[in-house]
Amino acid sequence: MNKLETLLSQYAMYHRSKKNILTHFFGIPLIVIAVVGMTFIPLFDVSGATITLAALIGSVLCCYYLMLSPTFGLMMSAVILAFYFLVQTLNPLIANAGIMTVLFWAGVFFVGWVLQFIGHYFEGKKPAFVDDLIGLAIGPLFVLVELLFVFGLFKELENKIVNNAGEYKA
């Protein structure tokens, strides 16, 4: 089993309930975009382009995902980039990067985590990151992969994860 399969299988062991996975389809994207929003802090300029903390964190995550799998890494990079540009567009509309912007993204972050904990109530298990912090990085990838499974894609990977983590529960 390769590293990607191992990490996804370990994460999946905490996520076998379809209700839990459904809450993650909404909660994790909200958390990720909120983190982008809260870290959209200018650090320095390079040739006229402002580099933000969000861009640095996103770049590191994208590199990690690309090392795990070029295919999924490209997909995750596209998602992170889309979130980055969405935040870049929304921030001036919220309150021109003032305290209201911070409160807005903190609220989105909170709602995302509430959904996560509701899902884990259905699951009857604690979140994966409690036992291993890498779960915070694997969660968004897991949601992407589970969404692809819903559309019937990557069946071989899905079968390996189910064999390792167990069948889905209602």
Side-chain angles (χ1 to χ4, degrees):
M1 194 165 43
N2 68 31
K3 182 77 170 173
L4 174 71
E5 293 166 1
T6 300
L7 290 168
L8 287 172
S9 294
Q10 289 170 344
Y11 193 87
M13 288 178 192
Y14 296 81
H15 304 87
R16 302 320 302 146
S17 162
K18 290 185 179 186
K19 290 178 184 175
N20 188 19
I21 293 170
L22 180 63
T23 64
H24 282 52
F25 282 158
F26 297 96
I28 286 181
L30 288 174
I31 292 166
V32 172
I33 198 164
V35 169
V36 173
M38 289 186 292
T39 60
F40 206 85
I41 301 163
L43 297 177
F44 54 88
D45 290 330
V46 175
S47 299
T50 301
I51 306 301
T52 63
L53 180 57
L56 293 179
I57 293 169
S59 296
V60 169
L61 268 176
C62 290
C63 288
Y64 178 66
Y65 293 139
L66 286 164
M67 287 189 314
L68 288 176
S69 162
T71 302
F72 294 125
L74 285 173
M75 290 182 210
M76 285 302 302
S77 296
V79 169
I80 291 170
L81 191 60
F83 282 178
Y84 188 86
F85 286 122
L86 182 60
V87 166
Q88 188 175 36
T89 302
L90 287 177
N91 272 356
L93 300 175
I94 298 167
N96 201 18
I99 189 67
M100 290 307 295
T101 304
V102 173
L103 292 174
F104 174 82
W105 292 119
V108 172
F109 187 79
F110 178 77
V111 169
W113 277 108
V114 166
L115 289 171
Q116 296 301 93
F117 287 112
I118 289 170
H120 282 283
Y121 171 80
F122 292 131
E123 185 77 40
K125 292 183 183 174
K126 60 189 170 188
F129 77 87
V130 172
D131 290 330
D132 188 357
L133 286 178
I134 198 68
L136 293 171
I138 297 303
L141 179 60
F142 176 81
V143 167
L144 172 70
V145 168
E146 285 292 326
L147 184 61
L148 294 168
F149 294 166
V150 167
F151 290 108
L153 302 169
F154 299 97
K155 276 299 195 191
E156 183 180 334
L157 177 60
E158 181 180 24
N159 291 335
K160 288 178 183 179
I161 292 171
V162 168
N163 286 338
N164 292 319
E167 291 290 332
Y168 293 104
K169 300 173 191 168

